[in-house]
Amino acid sequence: MYNSHSNRVMRRTRSSIAASALLVCSVPLFAQQQPIRGFQADALAAHFRREVRLRAVPNPDSLRMRMRLLSEEPHEAGTDRSRKVAEQILARFKSFGLDARIEMFEALMPRPTSRTLEMLAPEKFVAALKEKPMPGDKDANDANQLPTYNAYSPDGDVTGELVFVNYGLPEDYRILDSLGINVRGKIVIAKYGRSWRGIKPKLAAEHGAIGCIIYSDPRDDGYFVGDVYTDGPMRPWAGVQRGSVMDMPTYPGDPLTPGWGSVPGSRKLARSEAKTIEPIPVLPISYDDALPLLRNLKGPVAPEAWRGALPITYHIGAGPARVRLAVTFDWQTRPLYNVIARIPGARFPDQWIIHGNHHDAWVNGANDPISGMVALEETARAFGALLKTGWRPARTIILAGWDGEEWGLIGSTEWAEAHAAELRTKAVAYLNSDSNGRGWLDVGGSHSLQAFMREVARDIRDPKSGKSVLDAALERKRATARKEVSEPPKRDSAVSAEDSIRRREIDRIRGERRRTTDSVSVTTMESDTAFKIDALGSGSDFTPFIQHLVIASLNTGYGGDSNDGIYHSIHDTYDFYTRFLDTSFVYGVAESQTNSTTLLRLADATILPFEFQGVVRTYRGYVDEIEKTAKKNDTTVALDLGNVRGAIDRLAAASGRYESQLRKLNGLSAASLRARQSRLASVNQILFRTERALGDSTGLAGRDWYRHMIYAPGYYTGYGVKTMPGIREAVEDRPNLEVARRESVRVTAAIERLAVEVGKAADGLDAVLR
């Protein structure tokens, strides 16, 4: 079998080499003719030749072969199988001539020793708690599959009446209160979706529930959406979403080492001191197991917006369904294997550009995360080829394959905490990727890199249309906006707000962000569809870099042109991916090309490509949103954010002055700048530390691990971002005028610090120009 497969691969590889050569010759000339932020005009030709070489390397057949290899076996973190995947990645990096090694950490990673869910009344039922293998997909039948469970549930054996709580969100509990239904002493059953899974038991416990069951409703990612696997890509009846329920909005990483790296022998909290282990037992189940439970609920009929697609009338309860939920875990510390490759910078070795993607999976993980990991490997291969031409990056490039992401961003968090002192002084930017699919480029991150990423998107070719991925993405946004104008979404739509951030963790029914405006003119709509990057919440390995260390960060990926329901299940396999997702691996090529280009430009830019006028526009938008929300609530109607607006105005003045000086600098030749290198180096130091100005060492109230004053995951959204979170959550979640005012002072101070740093950068450019 393998010999036959290898012969086919060799034939395809020869074809792809020819295609790559054609691609090099046919790269759009517009990329060559347009300026690149951070580069002098007379240096563009040489730089562009390197980009062409770099982008010609990623290859669909290489991606396909590596996905087949790395997703061959289940390889959850903390196992020897995860170590073997890490060693395969390490060998791959070394084969490209890169200096690479494995850095080991450890973390508390409990696995279940027993799981029981049974209905005791009004009828007897024992949940299977097991997924069914599918004929024709050999990997869905693999041994060593993790059982279906939620990591960081506590041990527990509870019995109580069942209550259906919709998605288990704050607004759902408000509706329950209005109906006079109390969950205290009850077990709740919630649908997956609309927020991160860990929020559901957290909120249930706050309302007095003693246990939590989470199921996937077919309306969201099962037969209501499309044919189920293997006939189609949606979740089958017995499909279950595993996943961590660690309280990551408090802090990610090893629960026992918050704020410091968990290396063997390091100090640890007692398990009773860990703040991120859920307070009540929680278990995920399939909609096959959920059906008998929901069918035996009475009480009020659920509101229309709560109803799923199971063939029942959805009732809320409580009871008469009475269930027993019992889980126990082994609570062991297990090893983690981060793969780290380094390409030393020739001129600025202490300025680091970092790119990471995790390699651990809940089961085989072809889509999540191997589709992103193999694209990163192709990026490494491209840089290895470029190194053979004699090129060396000006700044150091670090490539990372993280372990333990699925459990709570553990490998990346422990590495970032262990190297925090170095990273604070040396990290220029962190670039993250995760799963990758078919569709359009999606970018999230620090808005000082928005203008830079627009140029990257401008210069990468879209595999489907042949246009730039920028044009393809903007056309998609305009088409979506027009549809929303003509067909405003229903307010009770089952499509969740979480859909717009699905790419982050990816909890993952892909969808488009929907505006809540009832009507909007086409003129306004067109202006709203300019290239913009999203703010980052949490859910992938960018979190410790941007939100804890306050390092400028980006997250990229392609998707949106396919639906699937195999997230965190045994069906996330090579066979599934090659049938329903990026079937030809051309979007894996585009992802690698996008990230390779991003890294090369950041590494070799004469002046780092940060831009702050887009930051000003974005932050003003955040203030508008918060004030609009505040005026809707009697508690916060008097909130005045004039102090924040004043700080933004000062940032606007500083950024305008910086851009003016930069335009003058762009008129100089690369040769003339080399004579002013030391002064220019000082400006670059200021630029890459501008993001740090937005941090506050005391952190957010009640969760001091999160230090960024502009971006954070919401306390009750988990993955979903809250911008200017201190103010916003004091307006939206628990309205409190005094807290909002106090937090506005902190946000004002952060933006003031940023304005000062941008002003220093403008002064630095002035000195370079003299």
Side-chain angles (χ1 to χ4, degrees):
M1 179 175 70
Y2 289 105
N3 287 338
S4 172
H5 174 72
S6 297
N7 289 336
R8 289 196 303 272
V9 166
M10 287 177 66
R11 288 194 296 272
R12 286 198 303 267
T13 301
R14 285 193 291 269
S15 298
S16 341
I17 289 171
S20 294
L22 179 61
L23 176 63
V24 172
C25 297
S26 61
V27 171
L29 292 177
F30 65 77
Q32 201 168 5
Q33 295 166 348
Q34 296 201 45
I36 300 176
R37 191 174 180 88
F39 291 84
Q40 302 308 110
D42 61 343
L44 283 179
H47 175 80
F48 187 71
R49 285 193 292 271
R50 286 191 287 273
E51 286 196 1
V52 169
R53 283 179 172 172
L54 198 70
R55 293 200 287 264
V57 172
N59 179 284
D61 292 325
S62 179
L63 290 160
R64 187 184 299 273
M65 285 188 293
R66 292 298 294 175
M67 177 178 284
R68 173 73 280 179
L69 178 66
L70 296 183
S71 67
E72 185 71 23
E73 299 289 340
H75 56 280
E76 72 275 14
T79 65
D80 194 54
R81 297 183 303 279
S82 182
R83 177 186 61 80
K84 288 179 180 177
V85 167
E87 289 175 345
Q88 289 171 328
I89 296 167
L90 176 67
R92 183 80 163 159
F93 283 166
K94 287 184 173 180
S95 75
F96 305 144
L98 305 185
D99 176 17
R101 63 193 178 100
I102 288 177
E103 288 193 40
M104 284 188 61
F105 294 88
E106 63 183 18
L108 179 69
M109 291 191 286
R111 295 173 61 134
T113 54
S114 67
R115 300 166 302 132
T116 301
L117 178 63
E118 55 183 337
M119 181 163 52
L120 307 175
E123 63 179 78
K124 300 289 186 181
F125 168 73
V126 178
L129 304 181
K130 186 174 178 60
E131 294 185 288
K132 294 179 181 178
M134 292 295 175
D137 186 344
K138 75 175 186 64
D139 291 336
N141 295 273
D142 281 343
N144 299 314
Q145 294 170 350
L146 267 180
T148 56
Y149 80 108
N150 288 131
Y152 302 111
S153 162
D155 297 336
D157 189 337
V158 295
T159 299
E161 288 185 309
L162 193 66
V163 179
F164 174 51
V165 295
N166 194 28
Y167 291 102
L169 304 182
E171 55 266 33
D172 296 323
Y173 285 97
R174 287 193 287 271
I175 290 175
L176 289 173
D177 288 344
S178 72
L179 296 172
I181 297 173
N182 194 319
V183 302
R184 186 166 299 279
K186 309 293 195 301
I187 295 173
V188 303
I189 182 168
K191 295 184 288 189
Y192 264 119
R194 301 273 175 109
S195 76
W196 177 61
R197 72 184 77 78
I199 300 301
K200 300 168 192 294
K202 177 178 177 174
L203 269 166
E206 288 181 2
H207 285 82
I210 58 174
C212 179
I213 303 163
I214 314 176
Y215 83 101
S216 299
D217 196 281
R219 184 178 182 88
D220 292 326
D221 65 352
Y223 58 74
F224 183 86
V225 182
D227 289 329
V228 302
Y229 194 51
T230 58
D231 292 333
M234 303 314 300
R235 194 178 299 275
W237 277 81
V240 182
Q241 182 189 140
R242 294 157 184 78
S244 175
V245 291
M246 174 192 287
D247 188 6
M248 285 197 296
T250 299
Y251 59 85
D254 176 24
L256 306 185
T257 60
W260 65 93
S262 183
V263 297
S266 63
R267 67 187 176 98
K268 304 280 198 298
L269 299 177
R271 180 153 49 103
S272 60
E273 297 177 278
K275 295 180 180 179
T276 56
I277 297 170
E278 289 292 345
I280 60 174
V282 55
L283 195 64
I285 64 173
S286 66
Y287 55 85
D288 197 20
D289 277 343
L291 179 57
L293 305 179
L294 294 168
R295 187 174 57 219
N296 280 283
L297 284 177
K298 298 301 179 185
V301 173
E304 183 179 351
W306 287 33
R307 300 171 201 168
L310 289 169
I312 57 170
T313 299
Y314 282 72
H315 289 266
I316 296 175
R322 183 172 178 83
V323 300
R324 173 178 174 243
L325 167 62
V327 289
T328 59
F329 299 88
D330 62 11
W331 298 103
Q332 288 187 27
T333 294
R334 293 183 159 88
L336 295 162
Y337 306 94
N338 290 335
V339 190
I340 308 295
R342 186 181 300 260
I343 306 173
R347 289 169 33 212
F348 308 109
D350 288 339
Q351 295 182 17
W352 296 356
I353 316 296
I354 308 160
H355 173 29
N357 196 105
H358 72 101
H359 64 73
D360 69 298
W362 281 116
V363 194
N364 296 72
N367 181 37
D368 182 12
I370 298 304
S371 61
M373 188 65 235
V374 295
L376 188 152
E377 283 190 342
E378 285 297 271
T379 293
R381 188 163 73 91
F383 277 108
L386 198 56
L387 287 168
K388 291 175 182 175
T389 69
W391 166 85
R392 294 293 181 272
R395 298 177 181 85
T396 295
I397 296 173
I398 296 174
L399 303 175
W402 306 119
D403 201 357
E405 188 269 359
E406 296 293 5
W407 291 71
L409 321 180
I410 298 178
S412 59
T413 297
E414 300 313 313
W415 189 85
E417 290 175 342
H419 294 276
E422 277 188 296
L423 288 165
R424 286 191 180 102
T425 59
K426 298 178 180 178
V428 172
Y430 175 73
L431 170 62
N432 191 69
S433 56
D434 203 309
S435 304
N436 193 65
R438 184 176 72 240
W440 296 270
L441 175 65
D442 180 56
V443 184
S446 303
H447 286 86
S448 56
L449 292 171
Q450 180 169 270
F452 166 70
M453 286 308 298
R454 186 187 191 283
E455 290 183 353
V456 172
R458 177 197 70 193
D459 296 343
I460 306 298
R461 179 166 291 194
D462 174 58
K464 183 176 180 180
S465 66
K467 302 174 181 179
S468 73
V469 299
L470 173 64
D471 286 342
L474 292 179
E475 285 183 11
R476 166 70 168 174
K477 288 183 74 173
R478 284 190 286 268
T480 302
R482 289 190 186 98
K483 184 176 180 181
E484 289 176 356
V485 170
S486 60
E487 303 174 22
K490 295 180 181 179
R491 293 192 182 277
D492 64 352
S493 170
V495 177
S496 72
E498 186 194 32
D499 292 348
S500 65
I501 59 164
R502 257 339 205 204
R503 301 200 51 75
R504 303 292 181 263
E505 187 259 355
I506 304 170
D507 196 11
R508 241 183 219 99
I509 308 157
R510 289 183 178 92
E512 298 293 324
R513 175 182 285 113
R514 295 190 173 197
R515 291 193 301 275
T516 56
T517 309
D518 289 326
S519 62
V520 61
S521 71
V522 174
T523 302
T524 302
M525 174 200 73
E526 294 288 353
S527 67
D528 286 345
T529 55
F531 179 81
K532 298 175 184 176
I533 67 175
D534 296 324
L536 290 177
S538 187
S540 196
D541 291 305
F542 51 78
T543 295
F545 296 95
I546 188 168
Q547 273 124 14
H548 184 60
L549 298 179
V550 199
I551 294 164
S553 299
L554 292 163
N555 187 70
T556 68
Y558 287 80
D561 195 24
S562 58
N563 288 317
D564 67 78
I566 48 79
Y567 180 58
H568 286 188
S569 75
I570 66 171
H571 308 118
D572 184 1
T573 63
Y574 173 84
D575 286 342
F576 183 96
Y577 192 88
T578 54
R579 284 186 62 192
F580 296 111
L581 297 177
D582 183 16
T583 56
S584 59
F585 288 86
V586 293
Y587 287 96
V589 169
E591 172 76 339
S592 180
Q593 290 174 334
T594 301
N595 293 335
S596 299
T597 303
T598 300
L599 293 173
L600 183 63
R601 292 184 182 183
L602 286 169
D604 279 357
T606 303
I607 182 83
L608 286 167
F610 292 87
E611 188 269 347
F612 304 96
Q613 291 179 321
V615 174
V616 168
R617 290 189 293 272
T618 301
Y619 290 6
R620 281 176 175 156
Y622 296 160
V623 173
D624 290 344
E625 292 167 1
I626 293 170
E627 286 191 334
K628 183 177 180 180
T629 303
K631 285 178 170 53
K632 295 177 181 177
N633 190 304
D634 290 342
T635 304
T636 56
V637 68
L639 180 64
D640 181 354
L641 296 181
N643 55 344
V644 182
R645 291 190 185 278
I648 296 172
D649 288 343
R650 286 182 280 281
L651 176 60
S655 63
R657 191 158 61 88
Y658 175 78
E659 288 298 312
S660 176
Q661 296 293 79
L662 185 61
R663 284 191 292 272
K664 295 175 186 176
L665 187 79
N666 289 338
L668 301 180
S669 68
S672 67
L673 282 184
R674 279 193 289 272
R676 316 174 198 208
Q677 192 59 56
S678 61
R679 281 177 287 176
L680 196 57
S682 298
V683 176
N684 280 326
Q685 288 278 342
I686 294 168
L687 285 171
F688 78 73
R689 294 178 185 175
T690 52
E691 192 84 12
R692 315 284 201 275
L694 296 169
D696 187 318
S697 60
T698 61
L700 297 179
R703 43 190 185 131
D704 58 8
W705 189 91
Y706 288 93
R707 296 175 175 175
H708 206 298
M709 292 291 101
I710 306 299
Y711 314 120
Y715 190 73
Y716 288 120
T717 59
Y719 293 153
V721 66
K722 293 285 187 176
T723 52
M724 299 184 177
I727 313 172
R728 190 180 291 273
E729 292 190 323
V731 167
E732 294 178 349
D733 295 345
R734 294 174 177 172
N736 186 311
L737 181 60
E738 289 310 308
V739 171
R741 285 172 171 165
R742 183 174 68 240
E743 291 299 322
S744 75
V745 172
R746 301 177 73 202
V747 171
T748 298
I751 298 172
E752 293 277 15
R753 290 192 296 269
L754 178 59
V756 169
E757 293 304 305
V758 175
K760 288 180 182 177
D763 292 341
L765 288 186
D766 183 56
V768 171
L769 289 163
R770 286 194 217 118

